[in-house]
Amino acid sequence: MKIHTIDLDFLGNSEAIAAFLVETSAGVVLVESGPYSTFQTLKNKIEALGFEIADIRHLFLSHIHFDHAGAAWALAANGAKVYVHPFGAGHLANPQKLTDSARKIYLDQMDILWGDMKNIDDSLIHATADEEVIKIGDAHFKSWHTPGHANHHIAWQLEDVVFAGDVAGVSIGGGPVVPPCPPPDIHIDKWKYSISLLKKINARALYLTHFGISPFSTEEHFSQLEGTLLEYADLIKTLMKEGKNISEMTTAFNAYVNMQFSKYQFDEKQEARYQAANPAFMSVTGLMRYWSKEAGDLLTQ
Ligand SMILES: [Zn+2]
């Protein structure tokens, strides 16, 4: 089966956000839509491959964050059926709450970063059960519910490859595997469960939305991911115990990330790609929320 990685050139960065076009015996399908701000780029690149947006009758989403699902409504408006986790289905039908809370975080940057998110008709939304298999011609997409990054996360297995969304982390241009930890769902134990599940699938290739096929073996990939996830979580827990405020925590967190990146010879472009795909300040907020809400009792230990 032919899989095309489409670079959405998010904010002018190459290799920050991907969508994947899969050629099946029943036509092309898309995995991830990217945000609506890059919809025109998606359209142009699909056309450059010899297809039209309207050819896409099926869209598989890893989860409903804007960078993965923001343009889903525009594909649905062209007739695509959208496969999503049951916890995300209602938000696609009515994205008001999602856009309101994002606007509080991104303020006037909202439109530049993500663009519109509009309602999708219920008849075009398929809430996908765990381990459900969706057959499109000769392509069998298996849904694995994989919480940790988001409660509404699915990793899509297609034969021996997995489209891993964000639950398998971010690795760009041969750089390290890092976990994106935005609010509100980050949960370390759930994420560890998902990592062990994905390790068992032992995919031949992991397709990361940020960005492309992981250059590492499955074992190396997930060992980096889990190691860094636990380090990030511990760092924020320690800073919270020390009573640091959010700006002190963000400074300390950025210093930690920079130290980690300094082992790799990153140029400015490479750093910008990581920041665009996975802004550090979001991880500070996400992990603070995890420790204070989900695991508040652990802080006193
Ligand atoms: Zn993402």
Side-chain angles (χ1 to χ4, degrees):
M1 215 154 304
K2 196 156 189 191
I3 300 169
H4 305 273
T5 299
I6 297 177
D7 189 338
L8 298 174
D9 298 330
F10 178 60
L11 303 176
N13 296 294
S14 62
E15 298 184 68
I17 303 179
F20 304 100
L21 191 76
V22 182
E23 294 185 33
T24 79
S25 64
V28 280
V29 307
L30 198 64
V31 182
E32 310 281 54
S33 69
Y36 187 63
S37 57
T38 59
F39 185 65
Q40 191 57 45
T41 306
L42 176 70
K43 191 169 179 287
N44 294 345
K45 294 200 174 185
I46 286 174
E47 284 168 8
L49 290 166
F51 304 100
E52 304 278 337
I53 282 284
D55 293 336
I56 295 162
R57 315 310 291 168
H58 305 276
L59 166 65
F60 295 87
L61 298 176
S62 66
H63 61 305
I64 60 165
H65 290 161
F66 286 89
D67 51 333
H68 301 253
W73 66 270
L75 286 135
N78 282 282
K81 188 159 198 169
V82 181
Y83 301 87
V84 65
H85 191 289
F87 294 162
H91 290 291
L92 291 186
N94 181 6
Q96 193 65 43
K97 255 172 81 179
L98 211 61
T99 45
D100 285 353
S101 59
R103 213 167 268 283
K104 278 186 204 141
I105 298 171
Y106 296 107
L107 306 170
D108 58 340
Q109 292 296 299
M110 180 73 188
D111 296 321
I112 298 162
L113 288 168
W114 312 124
D116 276 350
M117 196 156 174
K118 294 186 182 169
N119 297 9
I120 299 178
D121 195 88
D122 275 329
S123 65
L124 289 171
I125 300 172
H126 180 93
T128 316
D130 193 18
E131 299 193 37
E132 186 175 344
V133 176
I134 310 289
K135 295 180 182 171
I136 314 291
D138 58 350
H140 297 185
F141 286 85
K142 185 165 186 177
S143 149
W144 293 100
H145 285 191
T146 36
H149 169 80
N151 289 335
H152 43 86
H153 196 289
I154 290 178
W156 289 102
Q157 182 181 3
L158 173 63
E159 295 173 3
D160 56 355
V161 309
V162 171
F163 298 98
D166 279 351
V167 74
V170 169
S171 171
I172 301 175
V177 186
V178 296
C181 298
D185 290 344
I186 295 306
H187 197 288
I188 305 303
D189 287 339
K190 288 181 187 174
W191 205 329
K192 283 166 76 177
Y193 154 83
S194 294
I195 288 173
S196 67
L197 189 151
L198 290 168
K199 270 162 118 175
K200 270 186 223 142
I201 295 174
N202 196 20
R204 174 178 59 80
L206 277 174
Y207 281 79
L208 309 174
T209 309
H210 318 287
F211 187 97
I213 299 175
S214 167
F216 305 106
S217 70
T218 308
E219 200 182 312
E220 168 64 16
H221 184 98
F222 286 112
S223 121
Q224 278 193 43
L225 176 67
E226 187 163 336
T228 304
L229 176 65
L230 299 181
E231 281 170 24
Y232 281 4
D234 267 357
L235 175 64
I236 297 299
K237 183 177 166 185
T238 305
L239 294 167
M240 284 172 81
K241 276 182 161 177
E242 289 170 4
K244 297 279 195 286
N245 66 34
I246 184 151
S247 101
E248 291 167 328
M249 278 196 240
T250 306
T251 305
F253 188 81
N254 275 326
Y256 188 84
V257 171
N258 288 338
M259 182 201 65
Q260 191 189 23
F261 285 178
S262 68
K263 295 176 205 150
Y264 297 78
Q265 258 117 33
F266 275 12
D267 57 14
E268 270 171 36
K269 270 191 183 163
Q270 182 70 329
E271 269 181 46
R273 289 180 185 116
Y274 267 88
Q275 275 297 334
N278 177 27
F281 77 94
M282 291 292 276
S283 288
V284 174
T285 319
L287 287 164
M288 277 176 70
R289 188 179 161 112
Y290 166 68
W291 285 120
S292 50
K293 191 174 171 228
E294 303 282 350
D297 51 328
L298 293 177
L299 276 176
T300 55
Q301 284 171 14

